[in-house]
Each structure stands twice: as C-alpha cells, then as structure tokens.
Amino acid sequence: DEIIPVATADAKAMTRRLAREEALFAGTSSGANVVAAIRVAERLGPDAIVVTLMCDSGLKYLSTDVYRS
C-alpha cells in the first residue's frame, strides 16, 4: 500500500486528456487516479495489470477551469 501524490495541474491535464482522447467525462480526482495508475504501471513493467476506478463525473467541473481551454 502506498500513497502516490499527484499535482493538481497533472490531474487536471489528465482529466482533459481523458475527455479529449477517450471520451471519458470525469473529474480531477479521477484524473489523479489515472496519473497514479500510469506511474504504478510504468514501475511494474509491461506484463503488469493495473486497475483504477473513476469515481466522479466532470459535471460539477464545467464552471471551473478544468474544461476551459
């Protein structure tokens, strides 16, 4: 078990990437989950299977800077 810190800017960038490239409309906590999962997967190598949950919608972020260009 560990905690992987993710900068807010990295979480927001991943959130936008998920929406743009994968059509997954999520919030920043989901973006942070994916960033951390990618870091773990890189550390474990190509044969590892890493799973994370996206637990929020991007709906409440529409009035913030997350989805503004």
Short mmCIF file of all heavy atoms in Angstrom, two decimals:
data_model
loop_
_atom_site.label_atom_id
_atom_site.label_comp_id
_atom_site.label_asym_id
_atom_site.label_seq_id
_atom_site.Cartn_x
_atom_site.Cartn_y
_atom_site.Cartn_z
N ASP A 1 0.84 -1.18 0.00
CA ASP A 1 0.00 0.00 0.00
C ASP A 1 0.88 1.23 0.00
O ASP A 1 1.91 1.28 0.68
CB ASP A 1 -0.89 0.02 1.23
CG ASP A 1 -1.90 -1.11 1.22
OD1 ASP A 1 -2.17 -1.67 0.16
OD2 ASP A 1 -2.42 -1.44 2.29
N GLU A 2 0.45 2.21 -0.73
CA GLU A 2 1.18 3.47 -0.76
C GLU A 2 0.27 4.60 -1.21
O GLU A 2 -0.80 4.36 -1.78
CB GLU A 2 2.39 3.39 -1.69
CG GLU A 2 2.03 3.20 -3.15
CD GLU A 2 3.25 3.08 -4.04
OE1 GLU A 2 4.08 4.00 -4.05
OE2 GLU A 2 3.35 2.05 -4.72
N ILE A 3 0.71 5.78 -0.95
CA ILE A 3 0.03 6.98 -1.43
C ILE A 3 0.93 7.60 -2.48
O ILE A 3 2.12 7.82 -2.23
CB ILE A 3 -0.24 7.97 -0.29
CG1 ILE A 3 -1.20 7.34 0.72
CG2 ILE A 3 -0.77 9.29 -0.83
CD1 ILE A 3 -1.38 8.15 1.98
N ILE A 4 0.37 7.87 -3.64
CA ILE A 4 1.14 8.48 -4.73
C ILE A 4 0.63 9.90 -4.91
O ILE A 4 -0.50 10.09 -5.38
CB ILE A 4 0.99 7.66 -6.03
CG1 ILE A 4 1.50 6.24 -5.80
CG2 ILE A 4 1.72 8.35 -7.17
CD1 ILE A 4 1.25 5.30 -6.93
N PRO A 5 1.43 10.87 -4.54
CA PRO A 5 0.97 12.26 -4.71
C PRO A 5 0.93 12.65 -6.19
O PRO A 5 1.82 12.28 -6.96
CB PRO A 5 2.02 13.08 -3.95
CG PRO A 5 3.20 12.20 -3.80
CD PRO A 5 2.74 10.79 -3.91
N VAL A 6 -0.12 13.36 -6.55
CA VAL A 6 -0.28 13.84 -7.92
C VAL A 6 -0.58 15.33 -7.85
O VAL A 6 -1.50 15.75 -7.14
CB VAL A 6 -1.44 13.10 -8.64
CG1 VAL A 6 -1.69 13.68 -10.01
CG2 VAL A 6 -1.15 11.60 -8.72
N ALA A 7 0.19 16.12 -8.57
CA ALA A 7 -0.04 17.56 -8.59
C ALA A 7 -1.38 17.88 -9.23
O ALA A 7 -1.83 17.18 -10.15
CB ALA A 7 1.08 18.24 -9.38
N THR A 8 -2.02 18.93 -8.75
CA THR A 8 -3.32 19.34 -9.27
C THR A 8 -3.24 19.60 -10.77
O THR A 8 -4.14 19.20 -11.52
CB THR A 8 -3.82 20.59 -8.53
OG1 THR A 8 -3.94 20.28 -7.14
CG2 THR A 8 -5.18 21.05 -9.06
N ALA A 9 -2.18 20.23 -11.22
CA ALA A 9 -2.03 20.52 -12.65
C ALA A 9 -1.98 19.23 -13.47
O ALA A 9 -2.57 19.15 -14.55
CB ALA A 9 -0.78 21.36 -12.90
N ASP A 10 -1.31 18.21 -12.95
CA ASP A 10 -1.24 16.92 -13.65
C ASP A 10 -2.61 16.23 -13.67
O ASP A 10 -2.99 15.64 -14.68
CB ASP A 10 -0.21 16.00 -12.99
CG ASP A 10 1.21 16.50 -13.13
OD1 ASP A 10 1.47 17.31 -14.06
OD2 ASP A 10 2.05 16.10 -12.32
N ALA A 11 -3.34 16.33 -12.57
CA ALA A 11 -4.68 15.73 -12.51
C ALA A 11 -5.63 16.41 -13.49
O ALA A 11 -6.38 15.74 -14.20
CB ALA A 11 -5.23 15.82 -11.08
N LYS A 12 -5.57 17.73 -13.55
CA LYS A 12 -6.42 18.47 -14.49
C LYS A 12 -6.05 18.15 -15.93
O LYS A 12 -6.94 17.97 -16.78
CB LYS A 12 -6.31 19.97 -14.25
CG LYS A 12 -6.99 20.44 -12.98
CD LYS A 12 -6.83 21.93 -12.81
CE LYS A 12 -7.51 22.44 -11.56
NZ LYS A 12 -7.36 23.90 -11.42
N ALA A 13 -4.77 18.07 -16.22
CA ALA A 13 -4.34 17.75 -17.58
C ALA A 13 -4.83 16.36 -17.99
O ALA A 13 -5.29 16.16 -19.12
CB ALA A 13 -2.82 17.85 -17.68
N MET A 14 -4.74 15.40 -17.08
CA MET A 14 -5.22 14.05 -17.39
C MET A 14 -6.73 14.04 -17.56
O MET A 14 -7.26 13.33 -18.42
CB MET A 14 -4.79 13.06 -16.31
CG MET A 14 -5.24 11.63 -16.58
SD MET A 14 -4.69 10.96 -18.17
CE MET A 14 -2.95 10.72 -17.84
N THR A 15 -7.43 14.82 -16.76
CA THR A 15 -8.89 14.91 -16.87
C THR A 15 -9.27 15.38 -18.26
O THR A 15 -10.16 14.81 -18.91
CB THR A 15 -9.45 15.86 -15.80
OG1 THR A 15 -9.09 15.36 -14.51
CG2 THR A 15 -10.95 16.00 -15.89
N ARG A 16 -8.60 16.42 -18.74
CA ARG A 16 -8.87 16.92 -20.09
C ARG A 16 -8.49 15.89 -21.15
O ARG A 16 -9.20 15.70 -22.14
CB ARG A 16 -8.13 18.24 -20.31
CG ARG A 16 -8.72 19.40 -19.52
CD ARG A 16 -8.09 20.72 -19.87
NE ARG A 16 -6.74 20.86 -19.34
CZ ARG A 16 -6.44 21.33 -18.13
NH1 ARG A 16 -7.40 21.74 -17.33
NH2 ARG A 16 -5.18 21.42 -17.75
N ARG A 17 -7.38 15.21 -20.95
CA ARG A 17 -6.94 14.18 -21.90
C ARG A 17 -7.95 13.04 -21.97
O ARG A 17 -8.26 12.54 -23.06
CB ARG A 17 -5.57 13.66 -21.49
CG ARG A 17 -5.04 12.60 -22.40
CD ARG A 17 -3.66 12.15 -21.98
NE ARG A 17 -3.28 10.95 -22.70
CZ ARG A 17 -2.26 10.19 -22.39
NH1 ARG A 17 -1.49 10.50 -21.37
NH2 ARG A 17 -1.99 9.13 -23.09
N LEU A 18 -8.46 12.61 -20.83
CA LEU A 18 -9.46 11.54 -20.81
C LEU A 18 -10.69 11.94 -21.60
O LEU A 18 -11.26 11.13 -22.33
CB LEU A 18 -9.84 11.19 -19.37
CG LEU A 18 -8.77 10.48 -18.55
CD1 LEU A 18 -9.16 10.45 -17.07
CD2 LEU A 18 -8.53 9.08 -19.07
N ALA A 19 -11.12 13.19 -21.45
CA ALA A 19 -12.29 13.66 -22.19
C ALA A 19 -11.99 13.73 -23.68
O ALA A 19 -12.78 13.26 -24.51
CB ALA A 19 -12.72 15.03 -21.66
N ARG A 20 -10.85 14.29 -24.03
CA ARG A 20 -10.50 14.50 -25.43
C ARG A 20 -10.20 13.20 -26.18
O ARG A 20 -10.69 12.97 -27.27
CB ARG A 20 -9.29 15.44 -25.49
CG ARG A 20 -8.83 15.83 -26.88
CD ARG A 20 -7.65 16.81 -26.86
NE ARG A 20 -6.50 16.29 -26.11
CZ ARG A 20 -6.10 16.73 -24.92
NH1 ARG A 20 -6.75 17.70 -24.31
NH2 ARG A 20 -5.05 16.21 -24.31
N GLU A 21 -9.40 12.33 -25.57
CA GLU A 21 -8.91 11.14 -26.27
C GLU A 21 -9.73 9.88 -26.03
O GLU A 21 -9.74 8.98 -26.88
CB GLU A 21 -7.46 10.88 -25.88
CG GLU A 21 -6.52 11.99 -26.29
CD GLU A 21 -5.08 11.75 -25.86
OE1 GLU A 21 -4.73 10.60 -25.51
OE2 GLU A 21 -4.31 12.73 -25.86
N GLU A 22 -10.38 9.79 -24.88
CA GLU A 22 -11.10 8.56 -24.53
C GLU A 22 -12.60 8.75 -24.38
O GLU A 22 -13.33 7.80 -24.09
CB GLU A 22 -10.54 7.97 -23.22
CG GLU A 22 -9.04 7.74 -23.23
CD GLU A 22 -8.60 6.68 -24.23
OE1 GLU A 22 -9.42 5.82 -24.60
OE2 GLU A 22 -7.43 6.70 -24.64
N ALA A 23 -13.08 10.00 -24.52
CA ALA A 23 -14.49 10.33 -24.33
C ALA A 23 -15.00 9.93 -22.95
O ALA A 23 -16.12 9.49 -22.78
CB ALA A 23 -15.35 9.70 -25.43
N LEU A 24 -14.13 10.09 -21.95
CA LEU A 24 -14.49 9.82 -20.56
C LEU A 24 -14.60 11.15 -19.83
O LEU A 24 -13.61 11.86 -19.65
CB LEU A 24 -13.44 8.92 -19.90
CG LEU A 24 -13.33 7.52 -20.49
CD1 LEU A 24 -12.11 6.80 -19.92
CD2 LEU A 24 -14.60 6.73 -20.21
N PHE A 25 -15.81 11.50 -19.44
CA PHE A 25 -16.10 12.78 -18.80
C PHE A 25 -15.98 12.61 -17.30
O PHE A 25 -16.88 12.09 -16.65
CB PHE A 25 -17.51 13.22 -19.21
CG PHE A 25 -17.89 14.59 -18.76
CD1 PHE A 25 -17.06 15.68 -18.97
CD2 PHE A 25 -19.10 14.80 -18.13
CE1 PHE A 25 -17.43 16.95 -18.57
CE2 PHE A 25 -19.49 16.06 -17.72
CZ PHE A 25 -18.65 17.13 -17.94
N ALA A 26 -14.84 12.98 -16.75
CA ALA A 26 -14.54 12.72 -15.34
C ALA A 26 -14.11 14.00 -14.64
O ALA A 26 -13.94 15.04 -15.25
CB ALA A 26 -13.43 11.68 -15.25
N GLY A 27 -13.91 13.87 -13.35
CA GLY A 27 -13.43 14.98 -12.54
C GLY A 27 -11.94 14.84 -12.24
O GLY A 27 -11.29 13.87 -12.66
N THR A 28 -11.42 15.79 -11.50
CA THR A 28 -9.98 15.81 -11.25
C THR A 28 -9.51 14.66 -10.36
O THR A 28 -8.37 14.21 -10.51
CB THR A 28 -9.53 17.15 -10.64
OG1 THR A 28 -10.31 17.42 -9.49
CG2 THR A 28 -9.68 18.27 -11.64
N SER A 29 -10.35 14.16 -9.48
CA SER A 29 -9.91 13.02 -8.66
C SER A 29 -9.72 11.79 -9.54
O SER A 29 -8.79 11.00 -9.34
CB SER A 29 -10.87 12.74 -7.51
OG SER A 29 -12.15 12.42 -7.99
N SER A 30 -10.57 11.64 -10.55
CA SER A 30 -10.38 10.53 -11.49
C SER A 30 -9.12 10.75 -12.32
O SER A 30 -8.38 9.80 -12.60
CB SER A 30 -11.60 10.40 -12.40
OG SER A 30 -12.71 9.95 -11.66
N GLY A 31 -8.87 11.98 -12.71
CA GLY A 31 -7.63 12.28 -13.43
C GLY A 31 -6.41 11.92 -12.60
O GLY A 31 -5.45 11.33 -13.10
N ALA A 32 -6.46 12.24 -11.31
CA ALA A 32 -5.35 11.90 -10.41
C ALA A 32 -5.21 10.39 -10.27
O ALA A 32 -4.09 9.86 -10.26
CB ALA A 32 -5.57 12.54 -9.04
N ASN A 33 -6.33 9.67 -10.20
CA ASN A 33 -6.28 8.20 -10.12
C ASN A 33 -5.58 7.62 -11.34
O ASN A 33 -4.76 6.70 -11.20
CB ASN A 33 -7.69 7.62 -10.04
CG ASN A 33 -8.35 7.81 -8.71
OD1 ASN A 33 -7.76 8.29 -7.76
ND2 ASN A 33 -9.62 7.45 -8.64
N VAL A 34 -5.89 8.13 -12.51
CA VAL A 34 -5.30 7.61 -13.73
C VAL A 34 -3.81 7.93 -13.80
O VAL A 34 -2.99 7.08 -14.18
CB VAL A 34 -6.06 8.12 -14.98
CG1 VAL A 34 -5.35 7.72 -16.26
CG2 VAL A 34 -7.49 7.59 -14.97
N VAL A 35 -3.43 9.15 -13.41
CA VAL A 35 -2.00 9.50 -13.38
C VAL A 35 -1.24 8.54 -12.46
O VAL A 35 -0.19 8.00 -12.82
CB VAL A 35 -1.79 10.97 -12.92
CG1 VAL A 35 -0.32 11.25 -12.64
CG2 VAL A 35 -2.32 11.94 -13.95
N ALA A 36 -1.78 8.31 -11.27
CA ALA A 36 -1.12 7.40 -10.32
C ALA A 36 -1.06 5.98 -10.87
O ALA A 36 -0.04 5.29 -10.73
CB ALA A 36 -1.84 7.43 -8.98
N ALA A 37 -2.13 5.52 -11.51
CA ALA A 37 -2.15 4.17 -12.08
C ALA A 37 -1.10 4.03 -13.18
O ALA A 37 -0.43 2.99 -13.28
CB ALA A 37 -3.54 3.85 -12.61
N ILE A 38 -0.95 5.05 -13.99
CA ILE A 38 0.07 5.01 -15.05
C ILE A 38 1.46 4.94 -14.43
O ILE A 38 2.32 4.18 -14.90
CB ILE A 38 -0.07 6.22 -15.98
CG1 ILE A 38 -1.33 6.08 -16.83
CG2 ILE A 38 1.16 6.39 -16.87
CD1 ILE A 38 -1.71 7.32 -17.62
N ARG A 39 1.70 5.69 -13.38
CA ARG A 39 3.01 5.65 -12.71
C ARG A 39 3.30 4.26 -12.15
O ARG A 39 4.41 3.74 -12.27
CB ARG A 39 3.07 6.69 -11.60
CG ARG A 39 3.11 8.11 -12.12
CD ARG A 39 3.13 9.09 -10.98
NE ARG A 39 3.02 10.46 -11.47
CZ ARG A 39 2.81 11.50 -10.69
NH1 ARG A 39 2.69 11.34 -9.36
NH2 ARG A 39 2.72 12.71 -11.20
N VAL A 40 2.30 3.65 -11.53
CA VAL A 40 2.47 2.29 -10.99
C VAL A 40 2.73 1.31 -12.12
O VAL A 40 3.63 0.47 -12.03
CB VAL A 40 1.22 1.87 -10.17
CG1 VAL A 40 1.27 0.39 -9.84
CG2 VAL A 40 1.12 2.70 -8.90
N ALA A 41 1.97 1.42 -13.20
CA ALA A 41 2.15 0.51 -14.34
C ALA A 41 3.55 0.65 -14.94
O ALA A 41 4.18 -0.36 -15.30
CB ALA A 41 1.09 0.79 -15.40
N GLU A 42 4.04 1.88 -15.05
CA GLU A 42 5.39 2.08 -15.58
C GLU A 42 6.43 1.42 -14.68
O GLU A 42 7.40 0.83 -15.15
CB GLU A 42 5.68 3.57 -15.72
CG GLU A 42 4.91 4.21 -16.86
CD GLU A 42 5.01 5.73 -16.88
OE1 GLU A 42 5.43 6.33 -15.86
OE2 GLU A 42 4.65 6.32 -17.92
N ARG A 43 6.21 1.51 -13.38
CA ARG A 43 7.16 0.92 -12.43
C ARG A 43 7.11 -0.61 -12.46
O ARG A 43 8.14 -1.27 -12.34
CB ARG A 43 6.86 1.44 -11.02
CG ARG A 43 7.88 1.01 -10.00
CD ARG A 43 7.64 1.63 -8.65
NE ARG A 43 6.41 1.10 -8.09
CZ ARG A 43 5.52 1.82 -7.41
NH1 ARG A 43 5.73 3.08 -7.19
NH2 ARG A 43 4.42 1.27 -6.93
N LEU A 44 5.92 -1.19 -12.64
CA LEU A 44 5.76 -2.64 -12.60
C LEU A 44 6.14 -3.32 -13.90
O LEU A 44 6.41 -4.53 -13.91
CB LEU A 44 4.32 -2.99 -12.22
CG LEU A 44 3.89 -2.59 -10.82
CD1 LEU A 44 2.41 -2.93 -10.61
CD2 LEU A 44 4.76 -3.25 -9.77
N GLY A 45 6.10 -2.61 -15.00
CA GLY A 45 6.52 -3.18 -16.27
C GLY A 45 5.36 -3.60 -17.16
O GLY A 45 4.19 -3.58 -16.75
N PRO A 46 5.69 -4.00 -18.38
CA PRO A 46 4.67 -4.25 -19.39
C PRO A 46 3.77 -5.46 -19.15
O PRO A 46 2.70 -5.56 -19.74
CB PRO A 46 5.49 -4.45 -20.68
CG PRO A 46 6.84 -4.86 -20.21
CD PRO A 46 7.05 -4.18 -18.88
N ASP A 47 4.16 -6.38 -18.30
CA ASP A 47 3.32 -7.55 -18.04
C ASP A 47 2.33 -7.34 -16.90
O ASP A 47 1.49 -8.20 -16.64
CB ASP A 47 4.21 -8.76 -17.71
CG ASP A 47 5.03 -9.20 -18.91
OD1 ASP A 47 4.54 -9.02 -20.05
OD2 ASP A 47 6.15 -9.69 -18.73
N ALA A 48 2.41 -6.19 -16.23
CA ALA A 48 1.53 -5.92 -15.10
C ALA A 48 0.15 -5.48 -15.57
O ALA A 48 0.00 -4.89 -16.64
CB ALA A 48 2.14 -4.84 -14.21
N ILE A 49 -0.83 -5.78 -14.76
CA ILE A 49 -2.19 -5.29 -14.99
C ILE A 49 -2.53 -4.38 -13.82
O ILE A 49 -2.50 -4.80 -12.66
CB ILE A 49 -3.20 -6.45 -15.07
CG1 ILE A 49 -2.89 -7.32 -16.30
CG2 ILE A 49 -4.63 -5.91 -15.14
CD1 ILE A 49 -3.73 -8.57 -16.38
N VAL A 50 -2.83 -3.14 -14.13
CA VAL A 50 -3.15 -2.14 -13.10
C VAL A 50 -4.56 -1.64 -13.35
O VAL A 50 -4.93 -1.34 -14.49
CB VAL A 50 -2.14 -0.97 -13.14
CG1 VAL A 50 -2.50 0.11 -12.13
CG2 VAL A 50 -0.73 -1.48 -12.90
N VAL A 51 -5.35 -1.57 -12.30
CA VAL A 51 -6.74 -1.14 -12.40
C VAL A 51 -6.96 0.04 -11.47
O VAL A 51 -6.44 0.08 -10.36
CB VAL A 51 -7.69 -2.29 -11.99
CG1 VAL A 51 -9.14 -1.83 -12.02
CG2 VAL A 51 -7.49 -3.49 -12.89
N THR A 52 -7.73 1.02 -11.93
CA THR A 52 -8.15 2.12 -11.06
C THR A 52 -9.62 2.41 -11.33
O THR A 52 -10.16 1.99 -12.36
CB THR A 52 -7.29 3.38 -11.28
OG1 THR A 52 -7.59 4.33 -10.25
CG2 THR A 52 -7.54 4.01 -12.63
N LEU A 53 -10.25 3.10 -10.41
CA LEU A 53 -11.65 3.46 -10.55
C LEU A 53 -11.77 4.95 -10.80
O LEU A 53 -11.05 5.75 -10.21
CB LEU A 53 -12.43 3.12 -9.27
CG LEU A 53 -12.44 1.65 -8.88
CD1 LEU A 53 -13.18 1.48 -7.57
CD2 LEU A 53 -13.06 0.79 -9.95
N MET A 54 -12.69 5.28 -11.67
CA MET A 54 -13.01 6.69 -11.92
C MET A 54 -14.33 6.95 -11.21
O MET A 54 -15.38 6.48 -11.65
CB MET A 54 -13.08 6.96 -13.40
CG MET A 54 -11.73 6.74 -14.06
SD MET A 54 -11.72 6.99 -15.83
CE MET A 54 -12.30 8.65 -15.95
N CYS A 55 -14.25 7.66 -10.11
CA CYS A 55 -15.39 7.71 -9.18
C CYS A 55 -16.21 9.00 -9.25
O CYS A 55 -17.06 9.22 -8.42
CB CYS A 55 -14.87 7.50 -7.76
SG CYS A 55 -13.55 8.63 -7.33
N ASP A 56 -15.93 9.85 -10.22
CA ASP A 56 -16.71 11.09 -10.27
C ASP A 56 -16.97 11.49 -11.71
O ASP A 56 -16.30 11.05 -12.64
CB ASP A 56 -16.03 12.21 -9.50
CG ASP A 56 -14.65 12.56 -10.02
OD1 ASP A 56 -14.11 11.80 -10.83
OD2 ASP A 56 -14.12 13.58 -9.62
N SER A 57 -17.94 12.34 -11.88
CA SER A 57 -18.30 12.87 -13.19
C SER A 57 -17.67 14.25 -13.35
O SER A 57 -17.34 14.91 -12.36
CB SER A 57 -19.83 12.99 -13.26
OG SER A 57 -20.21 13.91 -14.24
N GLY A 58 -17.54 14.69 -14.56
CA GLY A 58 -16.99 16.02 -14.80
C GLY A 58 -18.03 17.11 -14.72
O GLY A 58 -17.71 18.30 -14.87
N LEU A 59 -19.27 16.76 -14.46
CA LEU A 59 -20.36 17.73 -14.48
C LEU A 59 -20.13 18.92 -13.56
O LEU A 59 -20.32 20.07 -13.95
CB LEU A 59 -21.67 17.02 -14.13
CG LEU A 59 -22.94 17.80 -14.41
CD1 LEU A 59 -23.04 18.16 -15.89
CD2 LEU A 59 -24.15 16.99 -14.00
N LYS A 60 -19.69 18.66 -12.35
CA LYS A 60 -19.51 19.78 -11.40
C LYS A 60 -18.29 20.63 -11.71
O LYS A 60 -18.10 21.67 -11.11
CB LYS A 60 -19.47 19.26 -9.96
CG LYS A 60 -18.27 18.41 -9.64
CD LYS A 60 -18.38 17.91 -8.20
CE LYS A 60 -17.22 16.98 -7.87
NZ LYS A 60 -17.32 16.46 -6.52
N TYR A 61 -17.50 20.21 -12.69
CA TYR A 61 -16.30 20.97 -13.05
C TYR A 61 -16.51 21.88 -14.26
O TYR A 61 -15.59 22.58 -14.67
CB TYR A 61 -15.13 20.01 -13.32
CG TYR A 61 -14.76 19.22 -12.10
CD1 TYR A 61 -15.26 17.94 -11.89
CD2 TYR A 61 -13.91 19.75 -11.13
CE1 TYR A 61 -14.93 17.22 -10.76
CE2 TYR A 61 -13.58 19.04 -10.00
CZ TYR A 61 -14.10 17.78 -9.82
OH TYR A 61 -13.78 17.07 -8.70
N LEU A 62 -17.71 21.88 -14.83
CA LEU A 62 -17.95 22.69 -16.01
C LEU A 62 -17.80 24.19 -15.74
O LEU A 62 -17.45 24.94 -16.64
CB LEU A 62 -19.35 22.40 -16.57
CG LEU A 62 -19.50 21.05 -17.26
CD1 LEU A 62 -20.94 20.85 -17.69
CD2 LEU A 62 -18.57 20.95 -18.45
N SER A 63 -18.04 24.62 -14.53
CA SER A 63 -17.92 26.05 -14.21
C SER A 63 -16.53 26.41 -13.70
O SER A 63 -16.30 27.53 -13.27
CB SER A 63 -18.98 26.45 -13.17
OG SER A 63 -18.74 25.73 -11.96
N THR A 64 -15.59 25.48 -13.75
CA THR A 64 -14.22 25.73 -13.30
C THR A 64 -13.27 25.77 -14.50
O THR A 64 -13.68 25.63 -15.64
CB THR A 64 -13.75 24.64 -12.31
OG1 THR A 64 -13.56 23.42 -13.04
CG2 THR A 64 -14.76 24.43 -11.20
N ASP A 65 -11.99 25.90 -14.22
CA ASP A 65 -11.00 25.96 -15.28
C ASP A 65 -10.62 24.59 -15.84
O ASP A 65 -9.85 24.51 -16.78
CB ASP A 65 -9.75 26.67 -14.78
CG ASP A 65 -9.04 25.91 -13.68
OD1 ASP A 65 -9.69 25.13 -12.97
OD2 ASP A 65 -7.83 26.12 -13.51
N VAL A 66 -11.16 23.53 -15.31
CA VAL A 66 -10.77 22.19 -15.74
C VAL A 66 -11.08 21.98 -17.23
O VAL A 66 -10.24 21.49 -17.98
CB VAL A 66 -11.46 21.10 -14.90
CG1 VAL A 66 -11.21 19.71 -15.48
CG2 VAL A 66 -10.97 21.16 -13.47
N TYR A 67 -12.26 22.37 -17.68
CA TYR A 67 -12.65 22.11 -19.05
C TYR A 67 -12.60 23.36 -19.93
O TYR A 67 -13.12 23.35 -21.03
CB TYR A 67 -14.03 21.46 -19.12
CG TYR A 67 -13.97 20.02 -18.68
CD1 TYR A 67 -14.51 19.61 -17.48
CD2 TYR A 67 -13.36 19.07 -19.49
CE1 TYR A 67 -14.45 18.28 -17.09
CE2 TYR A 67 -13.29 17.74 -19.11
CZ TYR A 67 -13.83 17.35 -17.91
OH TYR A 67 -13.77 16.04 -17.53
N ARG A 68 -11.99 24.40 -19.47
CA ARG A 68 -11.80 25.58 -20.32
C ARG A 68 -10.46 25.48 -21.02
O ARG A 68 -9.48 25.03 -20.45
CB ARG A 68 -11.83 26.86 -19.47
CG ARG A 68 -13.19 27.18 -18.96
CD ARG A 68 -13.23 28.55 -18.34
NE ARG A 68 -14.39 28.62 -17.47
CZ ARG A 68 -14.38 29.05 -16.23
NH1 ARG A 68 -13.27 29.49 -15.71
NH2 ARG A 68 -15.48 29.09 -15.54
N SER A 69 -10.41 25.93 -22.24
CA SER A 69 -9.15 25.86 -22.98
C SER A 69 -8.27 27.07 -22.71
O SER A 69 -8.63 28.02 -22.14
CB SER A 69 -9.41 25.74 -24.46
OG SER A 69 -10.25 26.76 -24.91
#
